[in-house]
Amino acid sequence: MSHVFPRHTKYTLPMVTRGEGVYLYDQAGKQYFDASGGAAVSCLGHGDPDVIDAIKTQLDAIAYAHTSFFTSDPAEQLAEKLIAHAPDGIDRVYMVSGGSEAMEAALKLARQYFVEIGEPQRRHIIARKQSYHGNTLGVLAVGGNEWRRAPFSPLMVETTHISPCFEYRGKQAGETIFEYGQRVANELEEEIHRLGTDAVIAFVAEPVVGATAGAVPAVEGYFKRVREICDQYGVLLILDEVMCGMGRTGTLFASEQEDVRPDIIGIAKGLGAGYQPIGAMLCSGEIYAAIENGSGFFQHGHTYIGHPTACAAALAVLTKLTDGGLVQNCATIGDKLQDALQLAFGQHLNIGDIRGRGLFRGIEIVQDRETKRPFDPSRMIHKSLKKEAFNAGLACYPMGGTVDGVSGDHILLAPPFIMDESHIDEIVSKLTTTFAKVL
Ligand SMILES: Cc1ncc(COP(=O)(O)O)c(C=O)c1O
């Protein structure tokens, strides 16, 4: 009998025993194509020798030292490399152990920034419906996914949520794509007015929405308008790139494609590529200066921040993503994957939309293509899809609640950047089998 507290008590899971490239193997020797990278984590696939070597070398030197006593070479080098590739104005890196921690640090830093610069009356965070920013209480409150929030709502700090930028679901007839983006961006301004024009700390958004809606990029002009509004009211723009960052959408930072300047960015997942648990919060030089010239310290911290072994792994990952050309491969092969999915399933009666960027793709399942009506949530279509795909040897990431947190189903695909064209055929053929069984 197991003493592990599992994610779900009703399922018996196979035991994973090894990974090699794009494949995972269970104890019975069954092979699975890892088309979800866990949850958009394993961007380098499994068993990467360079990352493993970097970890071993670091373990031989020093595994861990507390950041109140020491800095470390891998932390310094990782920060330098991240900043060299980060959007303009981003100047400092605070390393944590995962995505929720990165976003918690982002929220606390944003609040402390205003305390430091003498605007302590700023107390509201605005985020978007159908977003996910992590599972710890602070970021769970900021996330806009009703199903995840509901049981814990009495414990949550008040956050308000505006509409997401979700063209397939939100654009009205008679509205251009650009007009739609401006309309939903302008909800931010309305919300700032409602809360008080000097009372808002930050707006938080995922540049490409991940798990909750299935790889949904914003439309052109949306983030530019958001930035304008933030500038007008002195509100910080916090971009959550925990899932969509680190090359996943075809550029190292997803926000590069929006041509927008964030004040704070959260990253994780692909940063460690699964070889070590690591995330980071990056902030602008201006925010850092407010702390440096004010109290002198960020009132935050965890035991494992700046963990040398985790940083060494992340540095090796980042080197492969950038100097090794894997982000570029992700962009190129990602376009080909989109074309193949479109060709295979673009006319499928139960597939409403195929979207995303790079190797971050979403397939939205509907009961009726014409009306976009989703399946009845009680049918749990996403669960059957996950099960049948897994049986077919494909690990993908289906989820429900795509439309409003309750109804709707989608499949998220986030395969490793090392995949090649033959793997596209494998994904398409295993999805074909899956759809034939479930839809
Ligand atoms: C956009 C986004 N933010 C934050 C998180 C939380 O990250 P973690 O699970 O590493 O705490 C996730 C995880 O899926 C995510 O997708």
Side-chain angles (χ1 to χ4, degrees):
M1 195 196 82
S2 173
H3 290 283
V4 171
F5 197 137
R7 279 183 179 252
H8 201 296
T9 59
K10 302 274 191 292
Y11 300 140
T12 310
L13 302 177
M15 178 86 67
V16 68
T17 50
R18 74 188 175 89
E20 206 180 302
V22 297
Y23 295 106
L24 290 162
Y25 297 86
D26 70 16
Q27 204 172 23
K30 179 168 173 169
Q31 186 189 60
Y32 304 84
F33 185 94
D34 190 3
S36 75
V41 170
S42 302
C43 53
L44 302 186
H46 303 280
D48 186 288
D50 299 325
V51 185
I52 293 169
D53 273 356
I55 294 171
K56 285 181 175 164
T57 306
Q58 187 58 40
L59 286 176
D60 285 338
I62 172 73
Y64 165 75
H66 197 278
T67 44
S68 69
F69 299 103
F70 298 102
T71 185
S72 71
D73 190 49
E76 295 293 339
Q77 282 196 53
L78 176 61
E80 194 177 322
K81 201 165 183 63
L82 278 170
I83 293 305
H85 289 91
D88 280 353
I90 297 292
D91 195 48
R92 292 279 169 167
V93 184
Y94 189 93
M95 291 112 182
V96 292
S97 303
S100 302
E101 279 189 14
M103 293 307 296
E104 289 281 348
L107 298 181
K108 282 183 72 181
L109 182 64
R111 165 67 190 165
Q112 191 178 330
Y113 166 73
F114 285 114
V115 173
E116 301 274 358
I117 66 167
E119 295 187 42
Q121 81 289 350
R122 288 193 185 259
R123 51 188 288 267
H124 296 288
I125 303 279
I126 303 174
R128 302 190 298 181
K129 292 173 194 148
Q130 278 304 83
S131 59
Y132 179 60
H133 300 297
N135 252 335
T136 48
L137 284 173
V139 283
L140 188 61
V142 171
N145 185 253
E146 275 318 310
W147 171 80
R148 286 180 167 88
R149 292 165 51 92
F152 307 101
S153 57
L155 305 181
M156 283 181 185
V157 291
E158 197 191 318
T159 314
T160 59
H161 298 97
I162 61 170
S163 298
C165 186
F166 190 172
E167 184 198 337
Y168 176 69
R169 288 280 164 199
K171 188 175 93 58
Q172 289 165 2
E175 197 176 36
T176 66
I177 292 175
F178 184 78
E179 284 163 356
Y180 164 64
Q182 300 299 293
R183 170 166 66 81
V184 279
N186 285 333
E187 284 188 26
L188 175 60
E189 186 168 31
E190 287 158 31
E191 192 57 14
I192 292 171
H193 276 279
R194 197 181 70 78
L195 295 167
T197 50
D198 66 346
V200 176
I201 296 171
F203 176 59
V204 184
E206 295 160 78
V208 180
V209 181
T212 48
V216 180
V219 303
E220 203 189 332
Y222 171 83
F223 273 108
K224 276 199 170 154
R225 178 69 192 126
V226 161
R227 180 74 257 182
E228 268 172 24
I229 297 168
C230 288
D231 285 343
Q232 189 176 345
Y233 298 96
V235 169
L236 297 179
L237 177 59
I238 301 178
L239 293 183
D240 181 344
E241 298 208 8
V242 166
M243 195 178 246
C244 62
M246 292 300 99
R248 180 54 62 194
T249 63
T251 46
L252 189 66
F253 288 87
S255 47
E256 287 170 45
Q257 293 176 55
E258 306 302 334
D259 198 16
V260 74
R261 180 184 50 80
D263 298 294
I264 300 180
I265 312 172
I267 54 174
K269 296 188 185 270
L271 176 62
Y275 291 88
Q276 287 284 296
I278 182 165
M281 182 268 291
L282 288 75
C283 75
S284 68
E286 196 182 329
I287 294 176
Y288 183 78
I291 306 286
E292 191 178 28
N293 303 327
S295 67
F297 96 113
F298 177 26
Q299 206 170 320
H300 195 55
H302 298 286
T303 302
Y304 288 137
I305 60 176
H307 193 291
T309 309
C311 290
L315 180 62
V317 172
L318 188 58
T319 304
K320 298 199 83 152
L321 292 178
T322 53
D323 309 342
L326 279 174
V327 174
Q328 187 49 50
N329 194 51
C330 170
T332 313
I333 204 96
D335 285 344
K336 291 183 177 161
L337 176 63
Q338 173 73 20
D339 291 347
L341 293 172
Q342 200 65 51
L343 189 68
F345 309 121
Q347 301 307 314
H348 192 294
L349 290 178
N350 297 118
I351 291 176
D353 194 28
I354 304 171
R355 55 187 174 237
R357 288 181 182 161
L359 284 173
F360 199 39
R361 299 286 162 181
I363 303 174
E364 185 161 341
I365 313 295
V366 289
Q367 182 154 31
D368 182 333
R369 264 172 77 92
E370 291 309 311
T371 61
K372 303 184 182 178
R373 180 164 49 93
F375 280 99
D376 187 323
S378 66
R379 289 184 60 179
M380 297 274 190
I381 291 288
H382 59 283
K383 289 207 168 154
S384 308
L385 289 168
K386 183 171 180 188
K387 187 167 158 239
E388 291 301 342
F390 208 54
N391 286 344
L394 182 74
C396 58
Y397 192 174
M399 190 58 85
T402 319
V403 181
D404 53 10
V406 180
S407 62
D409 301 271
H410 66 263
I411 295 178
L412 189 67
L413 296 174
F417 306 171
I418 55 167
M419 67 178 271
D420 60 38
E421 285 186 45
S422 71
H423 298 126
I424 294 181
D425 296 341
E426 186 172 349
I427 293 175
V428 169
S429 117
K430 288 181 172 169
L431 283 176
T432 305
T433 309
T434 307
F435 292 150
K437 289 213 161 134
V438 179
L439 298 178

